[in-house]
Amino acid sequence: MNNCCRACGRNILRCLALLSVCLVLSCGTAKDEIESASKVLDRWGQVEASPVSTVHQKQISQLFLDAANLNLLLSWALKHPAQFLQRLSYFKEAAFYHSFAELVVDGGKSFALIEMLIGSPSLEAERLLKAIRAREDLDARIKVSAQTKASAIVLQYIIALEGETATTTWRGAALLVAQNHCQVALVTAGHNVLDGQGELRAPLSQLYLYLPGGKQSITEVFPQTSSIPSAQDWTILIANKNRCADQFDSLAPEPWPLQQIPEKGLDVSLFCFHQSQSDVIPSLYAEQCRIYPSETGVLKYYANQPAGKLGIHTCQSVTGSSGCPVLYNDGGQNYFLGMQIEGDRLTGAGIARLVRDDFAKAIRQVKARLAQQVSSG
């Protein structure tokens, strides 16, 4: 303890910081490690960061290698991002970065940390960022072959969508949710067909769906409202079949019956069309990842969006993925959980509109409408 006091010199703030660490680390036992870590973090929240000796760096690293203490550190870091970045230099051990990145990713907090770390000039921030990205293993897509698609009923309701004007073309996906003898109803991201004012991005004759038998233009879009904000970024499409005799073997699965995604997240699949330079046409890919409710603070901006309407997922979010379905498998039963609408540019997070409230209600209404047309016809 005398060594700690001598190390303080005349810098009062540094003295307080060192004393707090010395008191906690020199007196703590295995039994009160969590209390010790809490005291360190409390002091860090009150005192400005200052250099510490190599000995104290090792003691701090050792304290926060404990799983329970790492959890405390992660919670503290999310509440005090600036102070956390200032004190990352205290951690030099490779084991810390490996364990902390593992905790961050497995706990669904990677995007929050990426958001925090990007732009920081420190080498430690870059080191942690690399460890998190390596743990994420972001690109886990599996290309679905034509043979697989033909034999797997679950994939037949995912339809490629295309729009074009005199100056540009764009692509996305739509999901078949209802059909009658001659028409189909699909859902997609609103911005695939509408602009921010709720106007069509192109005439209906220039909005296409790749249905069995060939390309077919869309005949109706509703509700025709702005796709801003994200919670309103969905719409329903009606199109004629190329042949009335064409019948889809399966429609999209029912919406997930539970009301909320748990804070710890769910394992889901994203089925999507991606087009690379080597692809002649967009290819269908399946990817497994995890989705979290937006209101749990996974990303700052989306945490302020209406609760229960958006999910943040770890599947790839790339150009052309809007409208792709997020499916949840529970005991062999697939459920339509949400639909990809956008990506966060800073972190790479995928944003999905969950199938709930007005979105789910509209799907039920269009199913009833197409069924009624058959009975009345």
Side-chain angles (χ1 to χ4, degrees), residues 303-337:
N304 297 324
Q305 296 289 313
K309 293 196 174 186
L310 300 176
I312 312 296
H313 64 78
T314 58
C315 285
Q316 282 217 337
S317 175
V318 296
T319 301
S321 63
S322 295
C324 296
V326 177
L327 304 181
Y328 173 63
N329 188 285
D330 186 12
Q333 178 68 45
N334 281 310
Y335 292 100
F336 180 25
L337 184 65

Side-chain angles (χ1 to χ4, degrees), residues 54-371:
T54 302
V55 172
H56 294 135
Q57 285 178 357
K58 288 183 178 179
Q59 289 175 322
I60 291 168
S61 294
Q62 191 65 37
L63 180 68
F64 287 105
L65 280 180
D66 177 80
N69 291 350
L70 268 182
N71 271 298
L72 285 176
L73 179 61
L74 176 56
S75 297
W76 183 85
L78 293 171
K79 294 176 183 175
H80 305 88
Q83 292 95 322
F84 174 70
L85 289 175
Q86 290 169 359
R87 287 177 169 84
L88 257 182
S89 61
Y90 294 176
F91 300 94
K92 302 296 184 183
E93 304 292 330
F96 166 79
Y97 288 87
H98 173 80
S99 298
F100 195 65
E102 184 176 26
L103 177 66
V104 166
V105 174
D106 294 351
K109 304 300 182 185
S110 55
F111 294 130
L113 265 292
I114 291 171
E115 196 174 38
M116 181 193 306
L117 296 167
I118 284 180
S120 173
S122 80
L123 294 176
E124 291 81 12
E126 181 64 23
R127 186 179 180 184
L128 182 55
L129 187 61
K130 286 181 178 179
I132 291 171
R133 290 198 184 279
R135 178 72 184 179
E136 277 285 11
D137 190 23
L138 291 175
D139 196 352
R141 292 175 292 171
I142 301 169
K143 191 171 183 178
V144 179
S145 68
Q147 292 81 8
T148 304
K149 184 180 178 183
S151 61
I153 291 176
V154 72
L155 300 178
Q156 293 183 11
Y157 51 71
I158 305 170
I159 307 297
L161 177 152
E162 184 178 278
E164 65 178 13
T165 65
T167 57
T168 187
T169 62
W170 64 93
R171 293 179 177 86
L175 189 67
L176 182 73
V177 293
Q179 68 176 335
N180 59 23
H181 187 55
C182 291
Q183 286 189 312
V184 289
L186 307 97
V187 296
T188 191
H191 69 267
N192 275 341
V193 293
L194 302 169
D195 62 21
Q197 287 71 49
E199 301 294 331
L200 290 172
R201 292 179 62 182
L204 286 176
S205 60
Q206 293 168 222
L207 296 171
Y208 308 108
L209 294 166
Y210 285 83
L211 298 170
K215 189 164 70 171
Q216 180 65 274
S217 60
I218 295 166
T219 60
E220 186 179 355
V221 176
F222 69 92
Q224 205 163 311
T225 60
S226 170
S227 54
I228 303 171
S230 304
Q232 191 53 40
D233 196 2
W234 60 270
T235 195
I236 293 180
L237 313 174
I238 300 293
N240 294 324
K241 296 178 180 178
N242 285 296
R243 295 179 298 270
C244 285
D246 290 335
Q247 293 295 310
F248 287 86
D249 294 329
S250 176
L251 302 178
E254 290 298 312
W256 188 47
L258 300 184
Q259 290 300 304
Q260 291 183 331
I261 297 174
E263 185 174 347
K264 65 180 181 180
L266 290 173
D267 291 322
V268 294
S269 299
L270 178 72
F271 289 93
C272 210
F273 294 98
H274 294 278
Q275 188 163 21
S276 69
Q277 293 180 349
S278 62
D279 290 330
V280 178
I281 59 173
S283 299
L284 186 65
Y285 285 83
E287 186 180 359
Q288 284 70 53
C289 61
R290 203 157 175 82
I291 193 168
Y292 304 90
S294 62
E295 61 268 23
T296 58
V298 181
L299 280 175
K300 292 178 184 175
Y301 173 76
Y302 293 96
N304 297 324
Q305 296 289 313
K309 293 196 174 186
L310 300 176
I312 312 296
H313 64 78
T314 58
C315 285
Q316 282 217 337
S317 175
V318 296
T319 301
S321 63
S322 295
C324 296
V326 177
L327 304 181
Y328 173 63
N329 188 285
D330 186 12
Q333 178 68 45
N334 281 310
Y335 292 100
F336 180 25
L337 184 65
M339 177 180 66
Q340 168 68 11
I341 55 171
E342 63 187 34
D344 182 70
R345 292 183 181 180
L346 184 66
T347 64
I351 316 301
R353 175 53 160 99
L354 303 180
V355 188
R356 296 190 59 201
D357 48 73
D358 51 340
F359 187 15
K361 181 180 179 181
I363 292 175
R364 291 193 297 269
Q365 289 174 338
V366 76
K367 287 182 177 180
R369 170 180 157 180
L370 263 60

